[in-house]
């Protein structure tokens, strides 16, 4: 069976500090990978998605970047965090070419102070 | 941006009542998913609908995809406290991108 991991679970960072959130998927190969941000009690905003190693598409220009150094690893980064970067970050995967459904990780709660 | 609007945004009902949540868009999607999310956790997939007019039932939950594949509804019969959570719809495009709705926060009061 497939599992998706995210870490850390929670993070408190000062404004201007760097960020690195990691997501890994087990039990599948060549998945599509996604990063979302969610405001409290609201829908998900798609930030980045990737269909393969080194292939990143950005939906929203912002202070964040993403990388996919390995097939099942997806990293969300920032060089300098802003207060507005606070939120709940979710990683998701689905099967390439035939995946209607997405499967989500447990999320990372980021608070920028 | 393909916007999906959900209504109502908040819903508080008594246990045993019925409810319907709507998900509307001006865009056509290849498929539409419904998820439920508990606080502090990732969304969990409930159902996928693919064909216009399709109806799927999951115990007390009934999901319908609009004929034009632009909208969907979720109907819950005899709500239970365990149904409490944030309900999210998501439309998928042929390019495998997903656009999430604005969310409906449901509270079922015992």
């Amino acid at each position: 069976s497939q599992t998706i991991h995210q870490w850390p679970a929670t993070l408190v960072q000062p404004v201007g500090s760097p960020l690195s959130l990691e997501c890994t998927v087990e039990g599948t190969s060549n998945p599509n990978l996604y990063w979302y941000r969610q405001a409290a009690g609201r829908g998900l905003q798609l930030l980045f998605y990737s269909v393969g190693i080194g292939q990143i598409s950005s939906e929203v220009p912002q202070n964040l970047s993403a990388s996919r150094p390995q097939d099942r690893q997806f990293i969300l980064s920032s060089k300098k965090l802003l207060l507005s970067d606070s939120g709940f970050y979710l990683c998701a995967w689905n099967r390439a070419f035939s995946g209607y459904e997405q499967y989500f990780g447990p999320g990372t709660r980021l608070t920028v102070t | 941006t393909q916007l999906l609007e959900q209504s109502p945004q908040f819903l508080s009902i008594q246990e045993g009542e019925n409810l319907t949540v709507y998900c509307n868009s001006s865009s056509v999607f290849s498929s539409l998913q419904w998820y439920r999310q508990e606080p502090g956790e990732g969304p969990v997939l409930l159902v996928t609908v693919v064909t216009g007019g399709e109806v799927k039932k999951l115990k007390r939950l009934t999901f319908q995809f609009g004929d034009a594949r632009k909208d969907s509804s979720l109907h819950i019969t005899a709500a239970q406290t365990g149904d409490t959570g944030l309900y999210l719809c998501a439309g998928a495009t042929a390019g495998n991108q997903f656009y999430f709705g604005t969310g409906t926060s449901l509270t079922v009061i015992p």
Side-chain angles (χ1 to χ4, degrees):
Chain A
S1 64
Q2 299 83 20
T3 56
I4 179 169
H5 304 279
Q6 281 186 249
W7 64 91
T10 60
L11 191 59
V12 180
Q13 292 282 97
V15 168
S17 63
L19 172 74
S20 181
L21 303 181
E22 190 165 343
C23 170
T24 59
V25 180
E26 296 177 354
T28 188
S29 60
N30 195 31
N32 296 323
L33 296 171
Y34 305 79
W35 277 113
Y36 292 90
R37 180 168 58 200
Q38 184 178 30
R42 301 296 287 164
L44 280 61
Q45 178 188 32
L46 178 64
L47 302 176
F48 301 95
Y49 70 95
S50 172
V51 299
I53 296 174
Q55 300 179 62
I56 309 294
S57 296
S58 173
E59 283 292 301
V60 182
Q62 57 201 331
N63 188 41
L64 302 170
S65 62
S67 62
R68 185 170 176 174
Q70 301 181 44
D71 181 45
R72 290 168 288 177
Q73 183 185 30
F74 206 21
I75 298 172
L76 183 68
S77 304
S78 174
K79 292 182 179 178
K80 290 185 177 182
L81 283 169
L82 307 172
L83 285 174
S84 57
D85 292 324
S86 293
F88 192 48
Y89 288 82
L90 288 156
C91 180
W93 74 275
N94 72 344
R95 290 180 177 83
F97 307 116
S98 61
Y100 288 133
E101 299 89 0
Q102 286 189 306
Y103 302 93
F104 285 84
T108 295
R109 173 73 59 193
L110 171 66
T111 303
V112 182
T113 60
Chain B
T1 301
Q2 294 163 296
L3 186 63
L4 279 162
E5 290 284 347
Q6 286 184 238
S7 60
Q9 182 178 345
F10 298 99
L11 189 55
S12 181
I13 62 171
Q14 293 290 134
E15 197 170 25
E17 292 182 346
N18 302 331
L19 68 113
T20 302
V21 177
Y22 299 94
C23 174
N24 296 299
S25 175
S26 58
S27 300
V28 176
F29 293 101
S30 299
S31 67
L32 194 136
Q33 291 74 39
W34 283 94
Y35 296 82
R36 187 174 80 191
Q37 185 180 21
E38 302 286 343
E41 299 180 6
V44 175
L45 179 70
L46 296 174
V47 78
T48 294
V49 285
V50 178
T51 306
E54 182 177 2
V55 177
K56 280 192 174 179
K57 292 190 175 183
L58 184 66
K59 297 183 180 179
R60 295 176 293 102
L61 279 61
T62 301
F63 305 85
Q64 184 164 8
F65 202 12
D67 291 340
R69 291 187 288 134
K70 293 182 179 181
D71 52 79
S72 180
S73 63
L74 158 61
H75 182 79
I76 300 179
T77 303
Q80 300 176 357
T81 55
D83 296 326
T84 293
L86 180 68
Y87 288 82
L88 296 162
C89 64
T93 69
N96 223 334
Q97 295 182 47
F98 292 78
Y99 298 91
F100 276 77
T102 47
T104 294
S105 179
L106 171 64
T107 301
V108 181
I109 303 167

